[in-house]
């Protein structure tokens, strides 16, 4: 039997590409540039499986016609870039890669929290610009992190891993909002306590960190009213998805001092980052690096390989979304 034809939309770590090529008839996107909607539509018509990433946009229009593809093996846990209902309607399965990027994404959230609170980005820029005049008691004063309160929005795997770092690493009081009730004993394992509403968590926290999925249900969860509900002088950290935050409202909240600063790894229109954010010293900006370690990106690729192998062998993929 001929091997399924697979299109990989971006280059992967070598070990994962090798594992894929051992099992499938693989086409790589050698240029490693994001594919257009037309190219993705054509890929669905030409291949048995397409393996996209967050940099590929797959709205309903991409699924029009009679696709040959039977599965989208997404390289990533978040899948708000795929219209999964449209995929399902065409009989296309979708899988993702949960679990393997939990620690690294929680680490990046911690990095952003520390960097924005302690003004790490500003300090580095000052030294590189040869503008540091030496130590003095009032130089670049930041905000203490240890023993403060952190509010986590979304207490899934990554939210929990972040809570663990904050509580056991930095002695922080951890509160969280989660749509469904989390067992108190489970929350206590992470040194955390559940609050009833998003507003309760915002009002209690010196740092607010977003760990909920993107997509329609959480679009602009952080809007002007929610920024106003944050504690005065608090910071926002976003390693979830750009669309969870209304960027215009965020910029206004930063400009007017409603919040003190922000640490961002994700943006509404990636890779575009608003100039106004780039101009602010109290904002730390990373280029969507949450899962960007050799170990994690390889593990993500291996998960995709396992998911599509199961699918083409007639087994249920471990990480099936639809
Ligand atoms: C994820 O896995 O969701 C990362 O953000 C990369 O897409």
């Amino acid at each position: 039997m001929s091997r399924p034809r697979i299109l990989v939309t971006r280059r992967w770590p070598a070990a994962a590409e090798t594992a894929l090529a051992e099992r499938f008839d693989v086409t790589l996107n050698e240029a490693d540039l994001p594919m257009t909607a037309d190219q993705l539509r054509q890929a669905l018509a030409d291949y048995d499986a397409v393996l996209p990433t967050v940099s590929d946009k797959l709205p309903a229009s991409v699924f029009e016609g009679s696709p040959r593809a039977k599965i989208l093996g997404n390289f990533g846990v978040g899948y708000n870039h795929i219209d999964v209902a449209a995929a399902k309607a065409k009989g296309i399965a979708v899988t993702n890669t949960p679990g393997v990027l939990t620690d690294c994404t929680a680490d990046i959230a911690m990095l952003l929290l520390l960097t924005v609170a302690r003004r790490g980005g500003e300090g580095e820029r000052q030294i590189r610009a040869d503008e540091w005049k030496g130590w003095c008691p009032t130089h670049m004063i930041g905000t203490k992190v240890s023993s403060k309160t952190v509010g986590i929005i979304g207490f899934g795997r990554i939210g929990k891993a972040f809570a663990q770092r904050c509580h056991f690493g930095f002695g922080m009081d951890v509160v969280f909002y989660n749509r469904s009730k989390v067992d108190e004993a489970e929350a206590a394992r992470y040194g955390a306590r559940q609050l009833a509403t998003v507003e309760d968590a915002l009002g209690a926290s010196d740092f607010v960190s977003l760990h909920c999925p993107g997509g329609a249900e959480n679009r602009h969860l952080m809007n002007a009213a929610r920024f106003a509900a944050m504690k005065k002088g608090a910071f926002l950290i976003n390693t979830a998805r750009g669309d969870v935050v209304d960027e215009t409202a965020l910029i206004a909240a930063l400009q007017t001092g409603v919040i003190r600063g922000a640490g961002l790894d994700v943006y509404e229109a990636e890779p575009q980052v608003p100039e106004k954010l780039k101009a602010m010293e109290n904002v730390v900006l990373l280029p969507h690096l949450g899962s960007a370690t050799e170990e994690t990106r390889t593990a993500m690729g291996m998960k995709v390989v396992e998911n599509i192998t199961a699918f083409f062998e007639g087994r249920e993929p471990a990480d099936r979304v639809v």
Side-chain angles (χ1 to χ4, degrees), residues 53-55 74-81 97 101 105 158 239-241 265-266 288 290-291 297 300:
T53 73
V54 67
S55 65
N74 187 52
F75 183 101
V77 66
Y79 51 86
N80 63 322
H81 53 288
T97 63
L101 40 73
T105 308
I158 300 172
T239 55
R241 276 294 182 264
D265 189 43
V266 287
H288 204 146
S291 60
R297 289 282 165 86
M300 289 163 76

Side-chain angles (χ1 to χ4, degrees), residues 10-288:
R10 303 301 298 268
R11 297 306 303 268
W12 289 4
E17 284 188 350
T18 302
L20 198 61
E22 280 165 5
R23 299 185 192 182
F24 301 102
D25 174 3
V26 175
T27 303
L28 302 175
N29 173 1
E30 298 287 350
D32 200 18
L33 294 171
M35 294 175 65
T36 64
D38 283 344
Q39 288 172 322
L40 287 165
R41 196 177 300 108
Q42 194 59 48
L44 291 173
D46 293 344
Y47 291 87
D48 300 305
V50 175
L51 312 185
T53 73
V54 67
S55 65
D56 302 303
K57 305 291 167 244
L58 292 123
S61 58
V62 164
F63 297 94
E64 281 163 10
S66 309
R68 163 178 171 164
K70 291 285 171 273
I71 182 167
L72 289 175
N74 187 52
F75 183 101
V77 66
Y79 51 86
N80 63 322
H81 53 288
I82 303 171
D83 188 327
V84 291
K88 189 175 177 190
K90 293 288 178 172
I92 301 175
V94 180
T95 59
N96 69 344
T97 63
V100 292
L101 40 73
T102 304
D103 284 332
C104 286
T105 308
D107 290 347
I108 279 279
M110 203 71 232
L111 171 76
L112 284 170
L113 188 155
L114 290 168
T115 307
V116 72
R118 300 302 307 275
R119 303 176 63 176
E122 280 177 82
E124 233 233 339
R125 283 191 290 278
Q126 188 177 64
I127 288 189
R128 287 180 187 274
D130 280 331
E131 284 170 359
W132 184 34
K133 305 279 184 279
W135 192 92
C136 78
T138 55
H139 178 231
M140 215 167 264
I141 300 301
T143 300
K144 183 176 176 181
V145 169
S146 297
S147 78
K148 294 288 178 64
T149 299
V150 62
I152 295 174
I153 309 297
F155 206 62
R157 290 184 188 84
I158 300 172
K160 287 174 182 172
F162 182 65
Q164 188 174 44
R165 284 155 177 71
C166 290
H167 183 70
F168 296 102
F170 292 86
M172 298 176 88
D173 189 23
V174 181
V175 296
F176 68 90
Y177 168 78
N178 192 64
R179 232 175 359 166
S180 54
K181 174 82 183 132
V182 176
D183 182 65
E184 272 178 37
E186 168 74 357
R189 283 185 53 211
Y190 300 93
R193 139 180 86 84
Q194 186 163 13
L195 299 182
T197 65
V198 173
E199 282 71 16
D200 290 342
L202 299 180
S205 303
D206 303 296
F207 299 91
V208 171
S209 192
L210 305 176
H211 296 283
C212 51
E217 65 184 312
N218 291 326
R219 186 178 142 73
H220 289 185
L221 178 140
M222 288 306 297
N223 54 26
R226 291 256 165 82
F227 284 118
M230 283 173 70
K231 208 166 153 178
K232 184 112 190 88
F235 296 83
L236 178 78
I237 309 300
N238 188 12
T239 55
R241 276 294 182 264
D243 60 0
V244 179
V245 175
D246 176 345
E247 258 169 22
T248 306
L250 170 64
I251 290 165
L254 287 161
Q255 283 174 334
T256 55
V258 168
I259 66 171
R260 182 169 296 179
L264 308 172
D265 189 43
V266 287
Y267 307 89
E268 278 203 85
E270 293 179 15
Q272 266 83 50
V273 177
E275 292 302 323
K276 286 181 178 160
L277 286 178
K278 291 188 211 165
M280 291 181 196
E281 287 288 6
N282 55 338
V283 179
V284 177
L285 304 166
L286 292 180
H288 204 146

